[in-house]
């Protein structure tokens, strides 16, 4: 718990300048009165007093664009409930969860800084990033489809998945998806959402609450010979492809894209700086790099620019001097926050 709290403090408060507060959860009793939690809060205060004065300067080149409007088009169950019934696993709501939760987590583990914005803020940030990931984008008005296309045409890479653009203010149509992606999209019967790279690695769509099994819903695939396949379903139909759009690209995946290495490969292709070539959570700005380890081991961090010193701010330990990279041993679930002294 303490390292998760440390990660949230580092990213939300220290780097994004948002707020955190104490919440005792009312009738359930205080949640944060354990000595370990109180010590971590005290450490946050100590570190904050020392480093909150460091100027905030973003260095983010990728963004997740979230949108909850599509949720109302998914049923909790394909059949009427009875009072004794539980929600079946293979329902549209669990399929939706793959896009709303697992895909964003995959993107956040690409090894570079990733921001998050609401769909309604997209117009204001249409020129702010190189990589735009739209994990839940089944509903788009015609105007919004044109906006996404325009972002790609100006040079960005836009990642779309599942029923992206299927529904607009007038209809639900595969033609809407074609207008958005520039690819002819087909849809098959309800079935497991399993797609694989050429080396056999599954690119996404783990079932909610059970990462070993796929969700089931209508299977979207690329039905366009002009698109080079990057991943395929077991039956050979194209699940993942990319097309050039003006100065940029549109990437479409028929399944929820949850594999961090796919996002990392895209980021490298378009010139985004990668701090960490592993699946650990990474967030960075011009002055700090935060790493929350998914697995134990040595982490090799490649910096954007040379610095005179790399210091882990909670332990106050110097990791490197006069460096363009740094190596740090972390245990699974551990968080390190590095200050980059120019």
């Amino acid at each position: 718990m303490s390292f998760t709290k440390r990660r949230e403090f580092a990213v939300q408060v220290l780097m994004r300048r948002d707020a955190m507060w104490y919440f005792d959860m009312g009738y359930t009793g205080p949640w944060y009165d354990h000595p370990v939690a109180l010590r971590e809060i005290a450490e946050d205060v100590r570190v904050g007093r020392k480093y909150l004065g460091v100027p905030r300067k973003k260095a983010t080149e990728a963004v997740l664009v979230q949108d909850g409007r599509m949720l109302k088009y998914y049923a909790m169950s394909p059949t009427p409930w009875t009072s004794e019934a539980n929600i079946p696993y293979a329902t549209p709501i669990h399929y939706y969860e793959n896009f709303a939760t697992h895909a964003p987590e995959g993107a956040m583990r690409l090894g570079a800084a990733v921001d998050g914005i609401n769909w309604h803020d997209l117009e204001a940030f249409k020129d702010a990033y190189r990589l735009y990931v739209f994990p839940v984008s089944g509903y788009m008005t015609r105007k919004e489809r044109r906006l996404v296309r325009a972002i790609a045409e100006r040079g960005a890479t836009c990642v779309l998945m599942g029923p992206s653009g299927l529904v607009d203010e007038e209809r639900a149509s595969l033609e809407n998806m074609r207008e958005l992606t520039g690819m002819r999209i087909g849809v098959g019967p309800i079935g497991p959402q399993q797609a694989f790279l050429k080396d056999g690695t599954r690119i996404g769509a783990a079932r909610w609450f059970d990462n070993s099994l796929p969700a089931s819903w209508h299977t979207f695939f690329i039905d366009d010979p002009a698109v080079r396949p990057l991943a395929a379903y077991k039956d050979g139909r194209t699940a993942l492809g990319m097309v050039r759009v003006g100065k940029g690209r549109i990437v479409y995946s028929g399944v929820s894209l949850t594999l961090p290495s796919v996002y990392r490969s895209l980021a490298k292709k378009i010139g985004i700086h990668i701090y960490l070539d592993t699946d650990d959570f990474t967030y960075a700005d011009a002055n700090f790099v935060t790493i929350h380890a998914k697995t134990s081991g040595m982490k090799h961090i490649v910096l954007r620019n040379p610095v005179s010193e790399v210091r882990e701010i909670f332990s106050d330990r110097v990791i490197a001097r006069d460096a363009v990279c740094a190596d740090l041993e972390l245990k699974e679930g551990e968080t390190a926050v590095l200050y980059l002294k120019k």
Side-chain angles (χ1 to χ4, degrees):
M1 178 268 181
S2 61
F3 281 120
T4 301
K5 170 73 168 57
R6 185 170 298 185
R7 178 196 68 198
E8 294 304 296
F9 168 78
V11 175
Q12 303 299 340
V13 179
L14 193 62
M15 302 167 76
R16 289 179 173 164
R17 294 296 196 265
D18 289 336
M20 298 179 75
W21 64 93
Y22 177 89
F23 180 34
D24 66 4
M25 299 302 289
Y27 69 90
T28 62
W31 280 33
Y32 298 111
D33 63 350
H34 191 281
V36 173
L38 292 176
R39 283 198 298 270
E40 185 59 36
I41 291 171
E43 278 293 280
D44 293 346
V45 172
R46 178 185 67 82
V47 168
R49 285 173 175 165
K50 183 174 182 179
Y51 287 99
L52 275 172
V54 175
R56 169 77 169 104
K57 186 177 180 181
K58 290 180 61 174
T60 319
E61 300 174 283
V63 65
L64 280 161
V65 185
Q66 293 282 29
D67 182 12
R69 292 175 295 175
M70 190 61 183
L71 179 59
K72 65 183 179 182
Y73 293 95
Y74 292 99
M76 288 296 288
S77 172
T79 57
W81 280 5
T82 65
S83 59
E84 295 82 18
N86 293 319
I87 302 174
Y89 272 125
T91 62
I93 195 66
H94 294 140
Y95 170 83
Y96 169 86
E97 187 70 17
N98 292 304
F99 296 92
T101 301
H102 293 302
E105 180 179 341
M108 293 296 292
R109 296 186 184 279
L110 71 85
V114 180
D115 281 343
I117 62 173
N118 187 276
W119 177 269
H120 300 293
D121 297 318
L122 182 60
E123 175 71 36
F125 292 95
K126 62 185 179 183
D127 296 310
Y129 302 94
R130 293 187 180 188
L131 178 64
Y132 291 77
V133 180
F134 299 86
V136 184
S137 53
Y139 180 89
M140 285 191 199
T141 65
R142 286 171 293 175
K143 181 180 179 180
E144 290 167 346
R145 291 201 302 267
R146 290 194 295 268
L147 174 58
V148 174
R149 295 280 301 184
I151 290 172
E153 287 169 357
R154 285 197 291 268
T157 294
C158 296
V159 180
L160 303 155
M161 58 193 81
S164 282
L166 176 66
V167 181
D168 65 12
E169 63 270 55
E170 294 182 354
R171 62 181 182 173
S173 169
L174 294 176
E175 179 62 19
N176 291 345
M177 298 180 70
R178 187 198 64 77
E179 291 177 2
L180 172 65
T181 64
M183 310 177 200
R184 191 167 67 240
I185 306 297
V187 61
I190 292 175
Q193 301 291 296
Q194 289 182 299
F196 304 86
L197 299 174
K198 291 182 179 179
D199 65 2
T201 303
R202 197 172 78 189
I203 64 172
R207 192 169 69 175
W208 196 31
F209 292 138
D210 187 345
N211 289 332
S212 65
L213 295 173
S216 291
W217 206 52
H218 299 285
T219 303
F220 292 93
F221 60 94
I222 300 171
D223 186 22
D224 193 331
V227 178
R228 182 170 66 91
L230 302 176
Y233 295 103
K234 285 186 175 180
D235 62 8
R237 292 179 298 179
T238 300
L240 176 67
M242 178 170 59
V243 293
R244 296 288 306 194
V245 180
K247 297 179 180 179
R249 301 172 177 86
I250 285 181
V251 176
Y252 174 75
S253 172
V255 300
S256 60
L257 192 55
T258 63
L259 192 64
S261 61
V262 174
Y263 293 104
R264 191 176 307 123
S265 178
L266 285 172
K268 290 178 178 179
K269 185 178 184 67
I270 63 179
I272 290 178
H273 179 79
I274 301 297
Y275 292 87
L276 203 59
D277 207 12
T278 56
D279 293 351
D280 305 288
F281 170 87
T282 307
Y283 194 80
D285 63 13
N287 298 302
F288 298 96
V289 175
T290 294
I291 300 168
H292 185 73
K294 182 177 177 63
T295 57
S296 298
M298 184 66 69
K299 311 301 177 182
H300 181 69
I301 304 111
V302 179
L303 307 178
R304 293 178 67 95
N305 300 296
V307 298
S308 63
E309 180 182 276
V310 180
R311 181 181 295 268
E312 204 291 312
I313 63 176
F314 281 89
S315 65
D316 203 34
R317 180 163 63 97
V318 175
I319 306 300
R321 298 185 190 277
D322 299 321
V324 293
C325 60
D327 294 297
L328 182 64
E329 183 86 24
L330 291 177
K331 296 179 181 179
E332 179 183 349
E334 192 173 1
T335 297
V337 186
L338 309 180
Y339 173 56
L340 312 178
K341 185 178 180 181
K342 303 299 186 285

